Amino acid sequence: MSKIKTVGITLGVSSALLLAACGDDTENKENSAGASSSSIGEQVNYTVVATEPGAGLTGLSHDVLEQYENLEGWTLQESSTAGMLSTLDKAIRNEEPVIVTGWTPHWKFSAYDLKILEDPKGILGGAENIQTLARKGLEQDLPDVYTVLDRFYWEPEDMEKVMYDAQEHGDFDVAAADWVENNQDKVSEWTKDIGQGNGEKVKVISTPWDSEFASSSVIKLVLEQLGYEPEVTPVDPAIMFQSLATGEGDVTVAPWLPTTHKAFYDKHKDDIVDLGENLEGTQNGFVVPAYVDIDSIEDLKPKE
């Protein structure tokens, strides 16, 4: 069985992250937690650390900087998921202010004490869903696969459990296997009355983020147990939608809607099949450690 690994794992984060969130440098904590909103901007160099340039959240974050007048002079530092997590981890170890783009469910909310800043303008969207989309013709070509994917639904805590365990095991396949073994009631709902396949290949298109590694790894294992040969390919969101619209990919369980991937969905919606939500209650936002004494994007001050 091939292994699906994420760059987040290479940070060497496991139980050590839990300790990092509880540092005892009292002087640093007092300086950071008691800092005014204007000095927080100075301490983070008026910078919000983002993930990949192609991420939907990155595009929305650029919109935030443009539309909030109090963020005049701020910049978005495009990086990677691993880079964002490394910056967050370093800041928390030193109990310093940091602002990153983030989303839930994600294991970092279990590893650290974090909060999502309020977004009064609603630019980053409210609660979202993760959708299952398929290429046209999949229902006719692989009806049982289509049915399993149509039934696939789980809760945010399920996804976060797989993500967090993957940090411990260093492998999403192992974490997914543990979850499937311990959640046979849900898996049985997805696979009820489904026959065994004959090694048919299934191209599962995803994105290179921990949340989507979790869902894709679980789907991959379930389909393997049914006798199929699923192949998971993580790509940029634009490529994910394009591959389904052109028939190069079969299915995805990764799109965040209605906000994060709206532009891609609107462009290709007539050429794909929407099977509905597979998870509800996700959220994007600007994320800070709980010790940072601000609660809203509007608490921040423009660069002087």
Side-chain angles (χ1 to χ4, degrees), residues 43 80 84 107 119 149-150 167-168 177 185 244 253 288 299:
Q43 290 182 65
S80 64
M84 177 273 290
W107 61 262
D119 172 22
L149 270 298
D150 192 27
Q167 309 309 308
E168 294 293 319
D185 53 339
L244 293 179
V253 292
V288 300
D299 291 337

Side-chain angles (χ1 to χ4, degrees), residues 226-238:
L226 288 171
Y228 295 91
E229 292 188 13
E231 176 185 4
V232 178
T233 304
V235 297
D236 182 90

Side-chain angles (χ1 to χ4, degrees), residues 7 51 56 64 143 198:
V7 290
T51 58
V64 169
N198 294 304

Side-chain angles (χ1 to χ4, degrees), residues 57-241:
L57 177 54
T58 300
L60 293 173
S61 297
H62 279 294
D63 293 340
V64 169
L65 297 192
E66 292 176 2
Q67 296 184 39
Y68 276 89
E69 294 180 0
N70 60 300
L71 295 182
E72 182 178 355
W74 284 68
T75 60
L76 190 71
Q77 179 182 315
E78 295 179 350
S79 168
S80 64
T81 301
M84 177 273 290
L85 291 170
S86 178
T87 299
L88 178 65
D89 181 50
K90 181 179 179 181
I92 289 177
R93 287 180 184 275
N94 295 320
E95 295 197 49
E96 297 172 344
V98 66
I99 305 174
V100 302
T101 63
W103 58 95
T104 60
H106 192 277
W107 61 262
K108 63 181 177 286
F109 284 90
S110 296
Y112 305 112
D113 189 6
L114 304 172
K115 59 184 176 182
I116 296 179
L117 296 181
E118 295 174 5
D119 172 22
K121 293 181 180 291
I123 298 170
L124 295 170
E128 288 198 279
N129 306 315
I130 304 181
Q131 214 87 345
T132 300
L133 306 178
R135 66 168 173 85
K136 287 186 174 181
L138 180 65
E139 185 175 12
Q140 292 73 36
D141 297 339
L142 296 170
D144 281 347
V145 170
Y146 182 93
T147 298
V148 171
L149 270 298
D150 192 27
R151 293 173 177 172
F152 172 55
Y153 184 90
W154 62 346
E155 304 293 339
E157 53 266 29
D158 295 317
M159 175 180 278
E160 193 162 279
K161 174 64 173 173
V162 176
M163 285 189 284
Y164 189 72
D165 286 351
Q167 309 309 308
E168 294 293 319
H169 298 304
D171 191 322
F172 270 96
D173 281 344
V174 174
D178 287 347
W179 186 90
V180 168
E181 181 179 355
N182 293 319
N183 291 273
Q184 280 297 306
D185 53 339
K186 289 187 178 181
V187 175
S188 295
E189 292 177 1
W190 308 339
T191 59
K192 182 180 179 181
D193 298 327
I194 297 295
Q196 284 290 304
N198 294 304
E200 295 95 332
K201 296 185 182 299
V202 183
K203 296 180 180 178
V204 181
I205 311 301
S206 190
T207 49
W209 300 305
D210 287 4
S211 49
E212 279 58 64
F213 275 111
S215 55
S216 296
S217 296
V218 167
I219 284 298
K220 174 174 174 284
L221 178 58
V222 170
L223 292 178
E224 284 176 341
Q225 292 178 344
L226 288 171
Y228 295 91
E229 292 188 13
E231 176 185 4
V232 178
T233 304
V235 297
D236 182 90
I239 302 301
M240 174 177 65
F241 278 85

